[in-house]
Amino acid sequence: MQYYMCIIYKIAAKELCISPKIHLCMYFFLDMQRVLIYTDIVERRLFMIRQHNSKETRDLLINSAIENFLEKGYSNTRLEDIVSRVGLTRGAFYWNFSSKKELLEEVFVRYEKFYSDIYSSYEHFDSAKESLRSLFYLDLKKKNKLNPYVTIFRYKIEPSDEVSELKERQASMDETFSAFIEKEIKRGQAQGEIGADKNAHELALSAYMMLLGFDTYNSVHFSASDEEIYPDSFIHKLVDMIMSFLD
């Protein structure tokens, strides 16, 4: 369009004997048109970048993936299922993730953070037993709502070479968290709160397995809900039972 406008202006200037000043104004007008068009193109592209690369877009894709994985499993979820659920395009997906596997990786990061937050935020006491009680209560309290990550990574991902490393990462998480409990138990033994004749490693594994069993059971027997599954009194009873192994 700009090319043809330029030709018209040249012909008009030649045939109508337009003065140099008017001729200059015509070219100035033409240049302004170019600037406006280029500015519009740049603004549109910047808008697309902001939309595709925003945290909101990433969160929409991740949450859509979580819902699809829960419903269909990882293998049966298509890229189209993920983007169409939240009204986005394949372009928006590939702007943020290179593949469905990379998106699964992001979900796993959230899974890890859910548990690591528990072990980094419980209330500490001089008494090791009170610290353990605080940890166990916080763990069960946070998992007293359905945890979608547990359901996905324990029941909705079919074994394959593509996801083989997830098993190793889960094992690493288990070792890290059970070692955390074991460290507190040994501190309690050093302070005389827990019998020194007890095997700290076995006690830690027993406690950790109970905590694991809690959200595993819930993920099988309850549907997705933001409501707490059990009353707080029941959570305290479970904590008392776990603590009884340390007496």
Side-chain angles (χ1 to χ4, degrees), residues 37-242:
I37 291 172
Y38 292 153
T39 300
D40 182 64
I41 292 173
V42 170
E43 288 179 348
R44 286 175 182 271
R45 290 190 176 181
L46 288 175
F47 176 77
M48 289 178 63
I49 291 172
R50 288 193 295 269
Q51 288 295 99
H52 286 176
N53 201 34
S54 69
K55 182 179 183 301
E56 180 183 0
T57 299
R58 287 180 64 86
D59 287 342
L60 282 173
L61 290 167
I62 293 169
N63 291 332
S64 175
I66 289 172
E67 293 171 0
N68 276 285
F69 294 161
L70 286 170
E71 292 177 5
K72 305 175 183 180
Y74 175 75
S75 297
N76 293 326
T77 295
R78 301 172 303 145
L79 177 58
E80 188 62 32
D81 297 327
I82 296 172
V83 297
S84 63
R85 192 180 196 111
V86 287
L88 293 173
T89 64
R90 294 173 70 91
F93 178 90
Y94 283 117
W95 196 280
N96 291 276
F97 302 100
S98 62
S99 64
K100 187 174 71 169
K101 171 66 187 310
E102 186 182 349
L103 182 54
L104 179 66
E105 168 69 23
E106 188 66 31
V107 177
F108 194 87
V109 168
R110 292 190 176 195
Y111 174 57
E112 289 178 312
K113 186 177 186 304
F114 176 85
Y115 287 98
S116 61
D117 284 351
I118 295 173
Y119 285 80
S120 63
S121 60
Y122 73 94
E123 189 173 0
H124 293 259
F125 296 92
D126 291 336
S127 165
K129 287 185 73 172
E130 286 306 308
S131 293
L132 285 167
R133 179 178 289 279
S134 170
L135 169 59
F136 297 156
Y137 176 78
L138 180 61
D139 184 287
L140 296 174
K141 187 69 174 176
K142 282 200 69 172
K143 296 187 295 189
N144 196 25
K145 295 180 181 179
L146 193 65
N147 185 337
Y149 308 118
V150 172
T151 304
I152 290 173
F153 289 105
R154 295 183 191 171
Y155 301 107
K156 296 294 184 176
I157 299 181
E158 301 78 3
S160 69
D161 292 339
E162 183 184 12
V163 295
S164 59
E165 80 279 3
L166 293 181
K167 183 177 180 181
E168 297 176 5
R169 291 176 66 177
Q170 176 64 64
S172 177
M173 285 174 57
D174 293 339
E175 291 171 4
T176 298
F177 298 145
S178 60
F180 202 101
I181 296 173
E182 184 175 344
K183 182 180 179 181
E184 284 286 5
I185 291 174
K186 287 182 176 179
R187 185 166 75 90
Q189 288 177 320
Q191 294 178 175
E193 299 177 84
I194 301 172
D197 59 326
K198 294 178 184 262
N199 187 311
H201 182 66
E202 291 180 356
L203 287 176
L205 280 181
S206 299
Y208 186 67
M209 288 177 183
M210 287 180 165
L211 296 174
L212 278 182
F214 181 76
D215 50 359
T216 299
Y217 179 89
N218 292 341
S219 66
V220 172
H221 293 277
F222 295 95
S223 301
S225 172
D226 290 332
E227 299 294 325
E228 291 193 340
I229 301 171
Y230 307 103
D232 202 52
S233 58
F234 182 71
I235 301 299
H236 281 291
K237 288 179 181 178
L238 289 177
V239 173
D240 290 340
M241 184 177 67
I242 299 174

